[in-house]
Structure formats: structure tokens, C-alpha cells
Amino acid sequence: PVETYWFFPSQSSLPGVYHYSVRGHILECRNPNLFNRYSWNQFLNQLNWSENNVKKVLGIVAITTVEWREVWKYGERGWRYCQLDVGHAVASLLYAVRLSGYTAQICTVEELSDKEVLKQWLGIECTVNSEREDINCFVVIYGDENNQLIKNMTNKEEIKQEGKGKGGEEEEEEEEKKEENEEWRGTPSMISEDRLTWEIV
């Protein structure tokens, strides 16, 4: 029932939002222009992340659940099983981040500024006839300012800002036109078109 989405800022080598495909062990691009349209800082503000630490962030992982994938079989207990699965996913992610030499911080649903806006940024509100998918938490991955990856991203952002000041308006307009034509990619799979209503879930 658990899905994960990875967010990377525009100055990274993989900008935008990606869905992790378990079957292929790959990241599927959902929208490469997400942070051309929206500010990376805006996104972090939605997570109530400190502005002083924005430059240290390498990426953000969103963990969601499609409860129907458990509830169809286990009924009300399915909701609890979803939470157990989320706990395992978060623990595995934190362990991998620590082994890679970075730090992670969990942002729970209660800490989010606007859950519905974040659903739109995930792209889980724009798919027709998809099963309901809920956000459980976000994990912000960050490192030290002296880290080479962070230095490279900071340098790219500075070059980008300099370009805007040197007649980069035309390029910015072209990017905006490109963004308008950019649609969300991919369609989530479904267990079935039929549903049983469990009001407690």
C-alpha cells in the first residue's frame, strides 16, 4: 500500500518530482518542471522547514498510502497495517540516509501547512479514477554546507540567478511556455474498480 515520491530542486541533476517504482527499482519522472512553476522554498515552507537551512537540503521524500490495497482484504485492520508498512519504509529510508553520510528529518502530517496543496504538488489529485492516496509524512534529506553535492547545487543556483540579471527574461518566458505544456506523467495502477465502504477508515 506504500508509495514513495522523491523531490529534487531545479538546480539538481534530477529536477522535479519522481515516483519510486518497486518493480523496476527506478525513479519514474512524474513532472520535471514542478520547481520551475513553484518555488523550492515555497515547498519547504509548506513543510514548515527553517529558511536558514534551505540550501542544505538535497531532496525530499514523500511517503503515501493507498489504504484500499489493505482494506479490501483486512477491513478495518487494514488501516493499522498501512501504518506498520509506513513505519518500516521510514525506518529503512532513515537507515540508508545515515549510511550515506547525510541527515534526515521527518515532517508528520500534523506539521504540514496545507495537506491538500501538497497533494497537488505530488500529483496524486490530478489522476482520474485513481484509488484514494493519502500523505503520511515527508522526509527531508540534508547535509553539511561543505558537502560537495550541496556546493554544486548552490553554485548552479547562483549561476542561474546571474543569468536572470543579464537579459535572461526571454529564456524565462520560454521556460514558462514549456511548463504550461508540461503534463503529469504516468497513471497509477488499480486493484479494482469496485469499492467497499468502511466508514471508520
Side-chain angles (χ1 to χ4, degrees), residues 61-186:
V61 182
I63 297 179
T64 67
T65 49
V66 183
E67 292 166 356
W68 175 243
R69 294 177 185 171
E70 293 278 20
V71 171
W72 77 270
K73 185 176 183 180
Y74 299 109
E76 294 175 9
R77 287 181 296 150
W79 183 86
R80 295 197 294 274
Y81 295 156
C82 285
Q83 310 317 306
L84 287 170
D85 286 343
V86 167
H88 287 302
V90 170
S92 299
L93 178 60
L94 295 180
Y95 186 63
V97 168
R98 179 64 69 179
L99 284 178
S100 301
Y102 300 105
T103 309
Q105 181 173 321
I106 301 171
C107 299
T108 62
V109 173
E110 290 74 19
E111 295 174 299
L112 304 180
S113 294
D114 193 330
K115 191 175 176 181
E116 294 308 311
V117 169
L118 288 166
K119 275 189 174 185
Q120 293 173 14
W121 288 20
L122 274 165
I124 58 179
E125 289 283 285
C126 63
T127 314
V128 180
N129 296 327
S130 62
E131 291 163 339
R132 194 185 80 185
E133 190 170 349
D134 290 316
I135 299 172
N136 289 82
C137 66
F138 285 85
V139 179
V140 181
I141 301 170
Y142 60 99
D144 189 87
E145 289 179 349
N146 295 321
N147 180 278
Q148 192 57 50
L149 267 177
I150 293 174
K151 281 183 177 179
N152 291 343
M153 286 167 58
T154 304
N155 291 339
K156 284 183 181 178
E157 181 62 22
E158 288 173 356
I159 291 169
K160 185 178 177 182
Q161 294 300 328
E162 285 177 11
K164 285 183 180 179
K166 296 177 180 178
E169 290 80 5
E170 292 181 7
E171 289 183 9
E172 200 169 344
E173 286 178 10
E174 287 179 11
E175 282 295 323
E176 287 177 3
K177 287 178 183 177
K178 184 181 176 183
E179 289 159 25
E180 287 174 5
N181 296 326
E182 182 65 45
E183 295 181 357
W184 286 90
R185 303 174 183 178

